[in-house]
């Protein structure tokens, strides 16, 4: 059972909501009933300040308390669903709020109760029907309050501006109400997979056009008059039947002595008229009244007695004729009314279907034009995908990481992209992150912590955090190399409207492009490893190290990462021995480079100045002393490497 509160539309002034709800609960007591109470935003529990409380809010919260009482004391399975104000975009229904609002707009001025910046949450009733069905499909007996968040966050001022666009010259005045702000909750999204898709400001023009079309419909005046007569209430019909009987009896008496007008049976005409207008029941009543009038005329005008009238069968014929004619006319009227009603319903259905198909046709034409305009310019179009492919056409993985963060932040409209590189088969270390989260992003995960993400993507390698597991991102994509995880691309947080299949597919496509680019870059590094590194070591030559340092500097300049550049202080050991031993002293994702043949540098990725003591302690255990290189010296070193090069093994 679904109970819709009276406060589901703005500016509601109806009364008796709590009394009716109580009677419904009393009828449900002792029965296996699942009751969903759909309340409006006026009953928000967090509006407890005196300035935020209104009479409607107090009544709405009292209805919530009534639901809790009967759920706890009487065992009625109840849930409260608190939703924004409802409107309908259906052509077959009249919106209880916008139809009167549009009528008021025709006068040239309209008043909204909310202030200009007051929240005006609105939800399409057709979307609510989908959510209600899903709630009942997975119903449980526990009492709870479910909140539907206001996705679009419209205000009274925005609605007023939309009305001005539909009604040129309209004057809109605003009140001082602060509106109703619904609490932000994602329970409905997570549990039922439901999202609000329809935006009022986009639907408003369609609703207004349908209202205008319905208002302009013309009705046949004669048909309208007959419909009004047939739709009158029972007392009015009875009164009209009695008045008509008196009128026709008077006509019968007046014209009974006329040779020309006496040939017409006015009582029979009365029976035909009433039976034709009001149906079988009133046709028989009219026949009875006509029979009474005929019997009285026999007694008064012709001197008949009851015995003479009753025992002469030929006198029965007029009475029988009245009842037969009344029954036949009433039956014909009843059958015709039912046939007309059926045909009207069919015509209305065909008309609605035609209107719907026409609207679909116009929408399809408009969508075609819109898509044609957006096919190249839109941020997630095929033209943009081609641009992404060109952007990622580089051979340095660090440049790919930086471009990946930039492009995904732009296309996905999300500022929480992070990329991790799996090193040593045990840890995933941060290599790049969006500027908004670069400072507080987790710099290292163990593969055990990422087990749900690495093993839950299936064949597509895409994983979605539908269980909202803490410390794990909302989206994750694993790039494998040689059958093992190599790179992890993640989106740490996602808005409610981004938890959609479209968003997942877009994320998968972009990650697939990045995977292809990284595959080429990793293959190139593997092939050029001997040319890039000093023979027999993992220490990069001067040109290759310069490219790695430039890529890290670009990440730092974009606020997507950090690094420390350390210069190895010459000691007792020759540089050649340090070059051979440095590989075991640094992490797999760090880099070492030899500049000018005798100066050894260490590039500590995703490290900060606060990490320097720990790094020095670790290197001291290997008998390696280092000193940091500051920003100006880094720029000078890059310029020096760019100017001199090493003449061999430079990365393309």
């Amino acid at each position: 059972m679904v109970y819709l509160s009276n406060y589901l539309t703005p500016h509601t002034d109806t009364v008796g909501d709590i009394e009716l709800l109580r009677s419904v609960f009393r009828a449900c007591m002792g029965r296996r009933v699942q009751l969903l109470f759909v309340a409006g935003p006026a009953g928000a529990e967090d509006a407890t300040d005196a300035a935020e409380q209104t009479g409607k809010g107090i009544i709405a919260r009292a209805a919530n308390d009534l639901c809790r009482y009967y759920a706890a004391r009487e065992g009625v399975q109840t849930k409260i669903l608190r939703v924004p104000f409802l409107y309908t975009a259906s052509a077959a229904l009249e919106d209880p709020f916008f139809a009167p609002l549009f009528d008021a707009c025709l006068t040239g001025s309209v008043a909204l109760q909310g202030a200009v910046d007051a929240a005006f949450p609105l939800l399409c009733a057709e979307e609510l029907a989908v959510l209600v069905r899903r709630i009942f499909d997975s119903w449980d007996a526990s009492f709870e309050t479910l909140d539907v968040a206001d996705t679009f966050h419209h205000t009274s001022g925005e609605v007023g501006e939309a009305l001005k666009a539909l009604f040129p010259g309209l004057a809109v005045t605003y009140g001082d109400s602060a509106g109703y702000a619904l609490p932000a909750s994602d329970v409905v999204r997570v549990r039922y997979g439901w999202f609000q898709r329809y935006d009022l400001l986009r639907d408003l023009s369609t609703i207004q056009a349908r209202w205008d079309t319905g208002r302009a419909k013309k009705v046949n005046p004669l048909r309208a008059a007959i419909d009004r007569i047939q739709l009158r209430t029972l007392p009015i019909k009875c009164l009209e039947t009695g008045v008509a009987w008196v009128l026709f009896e008077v006509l019968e008496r007046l014209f009974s002595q006329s040779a020309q007008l006496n040939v017409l049976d006015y009582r029979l005409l009365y029976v035909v008229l009433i039976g034709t207008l009001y149906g079988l029941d009133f046709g028989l009543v009219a026949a009875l009244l006509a029979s009474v009038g005929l019997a009285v005329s026999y007694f008064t005008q012709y001197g008949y007695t009851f015995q003479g009238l009753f025992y002469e069968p030929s006198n029965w014929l007029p009475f029988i004729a009245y009842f037969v004619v009344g029954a036949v006319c009433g039956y014909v009227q009843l059958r015709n009314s039912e046939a007309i009603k059926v045909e009207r319903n069919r015509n209305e259905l065909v008309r609605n279907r035609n209107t719907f198909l026409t609207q679909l046709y116009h929408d399809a034409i408009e969508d075609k034009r819109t898509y044609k305009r957006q096919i190249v310019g839109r941020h997630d179009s095929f033209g943009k995908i081609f641009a992404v492919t060109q952007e990622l056409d580089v051979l340095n993985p660090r440049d790919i990481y930086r471009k990946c963060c930039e492009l995904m932040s732009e296309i996905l409209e999300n500022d929480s992209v992070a990329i991790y590189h799996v090193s040593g088969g045990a840890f995933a270390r941060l290599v790049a992150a969006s500027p908004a989260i670069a400072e507080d992003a987790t710099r290292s995960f163990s593969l055990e912590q990422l087990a749900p993400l690495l093993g839950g993507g299936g064949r597509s390698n895409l994983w979605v955090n539908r269980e909202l597991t803490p410390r794990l991102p909302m989206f994750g994509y694993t790039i494998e190399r040689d059958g093992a995880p190599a790179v992890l691309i993640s989106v740490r947080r996602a808005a409610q409207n981004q938890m959609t299949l479209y968003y997942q597919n877009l994320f998968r496509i972009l990650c697939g492009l990045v995977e292809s680019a990284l595959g080429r870059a990793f293959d190139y590094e593997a092939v050029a490893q001997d040319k890039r590194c000093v023979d027999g070591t993992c220490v990069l030559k001067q040109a290759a190290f310069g490219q790695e340092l430039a890529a890290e500097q670009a990440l730092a300049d974009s606020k997507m990462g950090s690094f420390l550049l350390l210069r190895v202080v010459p000691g007792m050991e020759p540089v050649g021995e340090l070059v051979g031993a440095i590989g075991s002293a640094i992490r797999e994702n760090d880099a070492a480079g030899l500049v000018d043949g005798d100066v050894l540098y260490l590039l500590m990725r995703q490290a900060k100045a606060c990490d320097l003591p720990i790094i020095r302690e670790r290197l001291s255990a290997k008998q390696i002393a280092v000193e940091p290189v500051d920003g100006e010296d880094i720029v000078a070193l890059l310029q020096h490497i760019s100017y001199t090069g090493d003449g061999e093994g430079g990365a393309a």
Side-chain angles (χ1 to χ4, degrees):
M1 178 184 297
V2 179
Y3 184 95
L4 300 177
S5 171
N6 287 335
Y7 297 103
L8 285 174
T9 54
H11 306 179
T12 302
D13 293 322
T14 55
V15 296
D17 193 28
I18 292 184
E19 291 78 4
L20 181 58
L21 178 61
R22 178 175 176 270
S23 64
V24 171
F25 271 116
R26 291 179 64 85
C28 294
M29 290 168 52
R31 293 183 172 89
R32 298 176 60 86
V33 175
Q34 299 171 348
L35 191 146
L36 179 65
F37 176 62
V38 183
E45 302 292 342
D46 54 353
T48 56
D49 295 340
E52 296 178 351
Q53 287 190 352
T54 62
K56 292 181 182 179
I58 294 173
I59 295 175
R61 284 189 288 276
N64 297 343
D65 295 337
L66 189 65
C67 293
R68 292 190 185 91
Y69 171 81
Y70 278 98
R73 295 290 298 273
E74 305 298 338
V76 180
Q77 296 186 24
T78 308
K79 294 184 187 296
I80 300 175
L81 179 63
R82 191 158 49 233
V83 301
F85 292 123
L86 295 183
Y87 72 93
T88 178
S90 173
L93 300 175
E94 180 177 341
D95 193 282
F97 172 65
F98 283 110
L101 183 64
F102 291 152
D103 291 335
C105 290
L106 292 178
T107 63
S109 64
V110 68
L112 299 177
Q113 292 181 358
V116 175
D117 57 348
F120 205 131
L122 287 155
L123 173 68
C124 184
E126 285 73 13
E127 288 193 288
L128 175 63
V130 176
L131 175 58
V132 169
R133 179 179 59 82
R134 295 185 182 182
I135 291 176
F136 280 109
D137 286 344
S138 57
W139 184 275
D140 59 74
S142 61
F143 173 83
E144 61 181 333
T145 299
L146 303 172
D147 288 305
V148 175
D150 181 17
T151 302
F152 299 102
H153 304 289
H154 291 312
T155 62
S156 297
E158 293 175 349
V159 176
E161 292 300 322
L163 291 174
K164 289 181 180 179
L166 295 175
F167 298 91
L170 177 67
V172 180
T173 58
Y174 302 94
D176 55 359
S177 174
Y180 300 99
L182 286 167
S185 174
D186 59 355
V187 175
V188 172
R189 174 182 61 82
V190 174
R191 185 184 303 175
Y192 304 110
W194 180 90
F195 307 92
Q196 183 178 358
R197 297 176 298 165
Y198 300 134
D199 184 2
L200 167 72
L201 297 188
R202 296 184 61 183
D203 292 343
L204 194 59
S205 59
T206 303
I207 298 173
Q208 189 270 341
R210 290 172 177 170
W211 166 83
D212 194 43
T213 302
R215 187 176 61 90
K217 289 182 178 178
K218 301 298 182 181
V219 181
N220 187 298
L222 179 60
R223 181 73 259 173
I226 295 176
D227 289 342
R228 284 195 298 271
I229 292 175
Q230 293 179 345
L231 292 177
R232 288 174 181 171
T233 60
L234 181 61
I236 298 299
K237 290 181 179 180
C238 294
L239 179 62
E240 291 179 346
T241 302
V243 171
W245 176 64
V246 173
L247 176 62
F248 278 92
E249 285 295 323
V250 171
L251 292 177
E252 181 69 29
R253 292 295 181 93
L254 290 178
F255 300 136
S256 60
Q257 304 301 324
S258 173
Q260 290 81 13
L261 300 177
N262 192 30
V263 297
L264 182 62
D265 190 344
Y266 291 97
R267 294 188 181 93
L268 184 61
L269 179 61
Y270 163 71
V271 173
V272 172
L273 179 63
I274 296 299
T276 303
L277 285 178
Y278 295 147
L280 180 61
D281 295 338
F282 280 89
L284 295 177
V285 171
L288 178 61
L289 293 176
S291 299
V292 171
L294 179 61
V296 171
S297 66
Y298 276 157
F299 295 148
T300 58
Q301 294 182 7
Y302 303 107
Y304 278 79
T305 62
F306 178 77
Q307 291 81 2
L309 182 63
F310 181 76
Y311 288 107
E312 178 57 43
S314 61
N315 295 331
W316 299 354
L317 295 179
F319 299 97
I320 296 174
Y322 289 158
F323 280 96
V324 171
V325 171
V328 171
C329 291
Y331 171 74
V332 171
Q333 192 276 340
L334 183 63
R335 188 180 64 178
N336 290 340
S337 297
E338 292 296 329
I340 291 173
K341 183 178 180 180
V342 171
E343 289 300 322
R344 285 183 178 177
N345 291 338
R346 289 178 180 175
N347 291 338
E348 186 66 22
L349 181 61
V350 172
R351 189 179 300 110
N352 291 339
R353 186 179 301 171
N354 179 62
T355 302
F356 176 71
L357 293 177
T358 303
Q359 185 65 33
L360 281 182
Y361 172 76
H362 289 297
D363 290 345
I365 296 297
E366 182 62 26
D367 289 343
K368 180 181 177 181
R369 294 171 181 170
T370 303
Y371 293 153
K372 189 174 182 179
R373 291 193 301 266
Q374 294 179 348
I375 192 66
V376 176
R378 187 168 171 81
H379 69 277
D380 55 356
S381 65
F382 291 109
K384 188 62 178 179
I385 296 298
F386 176 71
V388 171
T389 305
Q390 289 184 315
E391 288 282 340
L392 296 176
D393 190 17
V394 293
L395 293 177
N396 191 321
R398 303 292 161 179
D399 290 332
I400 295 177
Y401 297 148
R402 176 175 55 84
K403 293 178 181 293
C404 175
C405 284
E406 292 175 349
L407 294 170
M408 285 194 173
S409 297
E410 175 188 353
I411 296 175
L412 298 179
E413 298 179 354
N414 193 299
D415 58 357
S416 62
V417 180
I419 303 176
Y420 292 84
H421 182 269
V422 179
S423 59
F427 293 94
R429 304 188 187 278
L430 181 69
V431 292
S434 298
I437 64 169
E439 290 296 326
D440 59 347
T442 304
R443 288 188 285 174
S444 178
F445 282 104
S446 67
L447 294 189
E448 293 180 356
Q449 293 175 299
L450 299 177
L453 190 150
L454 298 176
R459 295 183 179 179
S460 65
N461 293 342
L462 174 66
W463 179 81
V464 182
N465 190 359
R466 295 185 175 89
E467 303 297 329
L468 300 181
T469 305
R471 301 192 73 241
L472 289 182
M474 294 303 298
F475 294 101
Y477 188 92
T478 305
I479 297 177
E480 296 182 350
R481 186 166 178 82
D482 298 330
V487 176
L488 171 65
I489 304 175
S490 66
V491 176
R492 190 164 77 176
R493 55 178 178 263
Q496 181 177 359
N497 60 349
Q498 293 176 335
M499 296 296 293
T500 60
L501 184 60
Y502 163 78
Y503 197 83
Q504 296 174 24
N505 290 334
L506 183 59
F507 179 65
R508 182 188 290 111
I509 291 172
L510 294 176
C511 290
L513 296 176
V514 175
E515 182 176 9
S516 300
L518 284 176
R520 292 193 301 270
F522 289 153
D523 290 340
Y524 172 80
E525 281 191 340
V527 172
Q529 182 72 16
D530 294 339
K531 295 182 179 180
R532 287 165 49 87
C533 299
V534 178
D535 295 340
T537 69
C538 63
V539 178
L540 296 173
K541 294 181 180 179
Q542 181 168 312
F545 181 73
Q547 291 184 356
E548 295 294 323
L549 180 58
E552 288 298 329
Q553 185 64 46
L555 278 172
D557 293 340
S558 301
K559 308 297 183 183
M560 296 182 184
S562 59
F563 72 96
L564 285 178
L565 181 63
L566 306 178
R567 183 188 297 113
V568 177
V569 179
M572 299 297 295
E573 298 182 0
V575 174
E577 294 184 8
L578 287 176
V579 168
I582 201 66
S584 61
I586 60 177
R587 300 173 300 179
E588 184 179 344
N589 64 322
D590 296 332
L594 191 62
V595 179
D596 294 335
D598 58 353
V599 182
L600 186 61
Y601 287 91
L602 303 181
L603 181 59
M604 316 303 289
R605 295 187 171 109
Q606 295 301 328
K608 301 178 182 179
C610 59
D611 301 322
L612 185 57
I614 300 175
I615 296 174
R616 276 178 166 168
E617 181 180 353
R618 187 174 73 243
L619 294 177
S620 297
K622 300 288 185 178
Q623 306 299 320
I624 300 175
V626 294
E627 60 181 6
V629 181
D630 60 17
E632 294 182 358
D633 291 339
I634 293 175
V635 174
L637 178 61
L638 286 172
Q639 292 176 348
H640 172 71
I641 294 175
S642 175
Y643 178 74
T644 59
D646 63 1
E648 56 178 342

